[in-house]
Amino acid sequence: MMKLAVVVALAGSASAFSPTTNDEGRGSTSLSATKSKALPWLPNPSNLDGYVGANGFDPLGISNYFPTDYLVESELKHGRICQLAWLGYVAVDLGARIYPLPDSMQGVTSATAHDPAVAFGSMGNMFIWMALFEMVGWIGVSQMLQGSGRAPGDFGFGKQFLEGKSEAQINDMKLKEVVHCRAAMLAFAGVVTQSVLYDKGFPYF
């Protein structure tokens, strides 16, 4: 019962952050004759309409229960982190190091670095910095969910590269980022799994 109460409470709090500026088409879902582009045997999830790269893929209907802007923010965030994570994971296994290196971290690989890093205190230090970034980043996300007009994932970085481009060109760049983010999430899961299964360095076979 306690677990059920927690789930219900979380679901209720999530609905409180629903965007106030979404139009009626995004704010409601109806089972119509329109089929999903990605999964043509399922109804089109109308809450995803208008979002770059959505393609109607929502087989679990998650967009019916959480604000779509929040879901897009989450996808972009995880994808960006995984792009950096894949690069960092492979770079370490190719010999990249930041010196001075403590004795406990000598000879470790990406797959075996966790325990020595915990013992040395590096993981606790990383946790503090990540918590600070999360708190600062949540300000923008919270304002977005309250209807500020901020686009999901927009922290103002690199916007100068979009100056003078048409809406179609900007959407094309957004699509490229979404595709790279999705590929990076799969790639990072694959590289970690491969390195642990075969216990070998890059390319892990």
Side-chain angles (χ1 to χ4, degrees):
M1 289 298 293
M2 179 60 70
K3 291 182 179 180
L4 178 61
V6 171
V7 172
V8 172
L10 289 175
S13 63
S15 65
F17 290 101
S18 298
T20 58
T21 58
N22 280 0
D23 56 29
E24 187 176 352
R26 287 184 181 175
S28 61
T29 302
S30 61
L31 296 178
S32 62
T34 305
K35 297 297 183 180
S36 164
K37 180 180 178 181
L39 305 170
W41 59 89
L42 293 178
N44 178 60
S46 60
N47 288 333
L48 300 183
D49 291 347
Y51 287 90
V52 175
N55 294 322
F57 185 84
D58 187 15
L60 300 180
I62 297 176
S63 61
N64 295 332
Y65 304 100
F66 297 96
T68 309
D69 283 346
Y70 184 80
L71 297 176
V72 175
E73 179 88 23
S74 177
E75 179 179 36
L76 289 171
K77 180 178 181 178
H78 283 80
R80 290 166 178 173
I81 290 174
C82 281
Q83 290 179 72
L84 295 173
W86 187 95
L87 179 62
Y89 198 97
V90 172
V92 168
D93 286 344
L94 289 177
R97 297 290 187 273
I98 297 178
Y99 294 95
L101 195 67
D103 293 338
S104 60
M105 300 296 290
Q106 297 288 346
V108 301
T109 66
S110 292
T112 62
H114 178 270
D115 290 350
V118 170
F120 186 72
S122 302
M123 299 299 283
N125 194 7
M126 288 172 57
F127 176 79
I128 293 174
W129 282 104
M130 286 189 291
L132 290 174
F133 280 120
E134 285 293 318
M135 287 187 288
V136 173
W138 175 251
I139 297 174
V141 176
S142 177
Q143 292 176 345
M144 174 189 70
L145 296 178
Q146 296 177 56
S148 67
R150 170 187 176 272
D154 184 3
F155 287 97
F157 297 124
K159 297 186 74 171
Q160 68 272 17
F161 297 109
L162 301 179
E163 294 178 0
K165 295 186 180 294
S166 66
E167 182 178 358
Q169 290 174 317
I170 292 175
N171 286 338
D172 182 60
M173 294 298 292
K174 289 181 177 180
L175 178 60
K176 289 176 180 178
E177 180 180 28
V178 170
V179 171
H180 281 83
C181 283
R182 292 169 180 171
M185 287 186 275
L186 294 173
F188 184 67
V191 79
V192 173
T193 302
Q194 189 85 351
S195 67
V196 172
L197 285 178
Y198 289 92
D199 194 24
K200 293 182 179 180
F202 184 81
Y204 309 114
F205 58 82

